[in-house]
Amino acid sequence: MSDRKDVDFGPLSGLLGVWVGDKGLDVAPDPDGAENNPYYETITYTEIGNVTNAESQCLSVLHYRQIVQRKSDNQVFHDETGYWMWDAKEEMVMHSLVIPRAVCVLAGGTYTGAKNTEGSVIMAVAANIDDKNWKIIQSPFMQENARTISFCQNVTVGSGKLSYSETTMVEIYGKVFEHTDQNELILQ
Ligand code: HEM
């Protein structure tokens, strides 16, 4: 790893900092169907810097921690951490995440400069258990009982605003469930 000064984080640059948002909506699996959980959260992105692999690949890396609380009882009901990585040469964005259900995801996508009308960066990453590169790892219990089969996420960031939507497809209770989360956050 190198000095953090002068690192170009590319499309990830706008993520750095502490974000809060209270417009979250989670749709999660429930034995009787689905549960809807309005939520608020804090996401903190910090610099790691440049990371070099095999003396040829150079990644610009951020670490993040996401703490999500249910509005109904203020309990933390989702705790996630991981890294966002930018490979400028390949124009590739990567998102590795772990959640304390013994599920890990490495999602990726290309970024070639997509922006919305306000100039905010729009990034998309995805993973699938059958994909060659972007995969999901999970415990034997989760494989058997609550298997994540895909994950996709869209993130828009710029001008002090961050919004995301993500869909996690989970095989649970005898069917495939579309587990979704979305929120809008403001930079502190
Ligand atoms: C803001 C983000 C998220 C929130 C608020 C959230 C919340 C929830 C909730 C409330 C449940 C129902 C079970 C329970 O009450 O604990 C659940 C289940 C589950 N979530 Fe998430 N989740 C989020 C993101 C994710 C992500 C990113 C993954 C994996 C890539 C994931 C994987 C799962 C799985 C596999 C289950 C099934 C386990 C079960 O219901 O027993 N979730 N989630």
Side-chain angles (χ1 to χ4, degrees):
M1 295 190 202
S2 67
D3 200 327
R4 295 175 187 196
K5 283 199 291 285
D6 303 325
V7 174
D8 179 4
F9 291 99
L12 307 180
S13 311
L15 291 172
L16 276 167
V18 179
W19 299 82
V20 297
D22 64 359
K23 297 183 176 61
L25 181 62
D26 167 69
V27 180
D30 182 273
D32 301 324
E35 58 175 60
N36 293 299
N37 300 295
Y39 65 80
Y40 59 96
E41 67 181 320
T42 302
I43 312 180
T44 306
Y45 296 87
T46 52
E47 295 184 16
I48 295 295
N50 283 137
V51 174
T52 306
N53 286 324
E55 298 196 345
S56 51
Q57 184 190 46
C58 181
L59 303 178
S60 308
V61 185
L62 302 184
H63 175 260
Y64 76 97
R65 180 86 188 274
Q66 179 183 19
I67 304 287
V68 186
Q69 289 167 267
R70 255 195 196 99
K71 281 190 181 174
S72 60
D73 58 7
N74 297 316
Q75 293 297 307
V76 173
F77 75 128
H78 183 77
D79 183 331
E80 180 182 313
T81 191
Y83 299 94
W84 279 86
M85 292 148 279
W86 166 238
D87 180 340
K89 193 170 147 208
E90 300 296 331
E91 298 184 315
M92 191 179 285
V93 173
M94 293 170 266
H95 178 191
S96 64
L97 72 88
V98 292
I99 58 169
R101 295 182 186 278
V103 177
C104 313
V105 176
L106 178 61
T110 51
Y111 179 76
T112 54
K115 293 194 170 150
N116 69 10
T117 50
E118 294 172 357
S120 299
V121 165
I122 304 172
M123 297 179 279
V125 292
N128 189 297
I129 43 164
D130 296 325
D131 194 85
K132 185 164 65 81
N133 299 309
W134 311 115
K135 285 185 174 291
I136 296 148
I137 301 172
Q138 50 209 318
S139 68
F141 180 90
M142 296 304 271
Q143 293 273 5
E144 277 296 310
N145 300 286
R147 193 160 81 124
T148 298
I149 55 176
S150 67
F151 171 80
C152 64
Q153 183 182 41
N154 295 302
V155 176
T156 302
V157 62
S159 308
K161 290 190 285 186
L162 165 66
S163 61
Y164 70 86
S165 63
E166 61 192 41
T167 300
T168 310
M169 301 301 286
V170 183
E171 285 177 354
I172 187 168
Y173 310 129
K175 60 174 191 216
V176 177
F177 186 88
E178 194 173 312
H179 175 22
T180 59
D181 293 281
Q182 61 189 75
N183 202 1
E184 293 171 20
L185 301 95
I186 302 292
L187 187 60
Q188 294 306 284

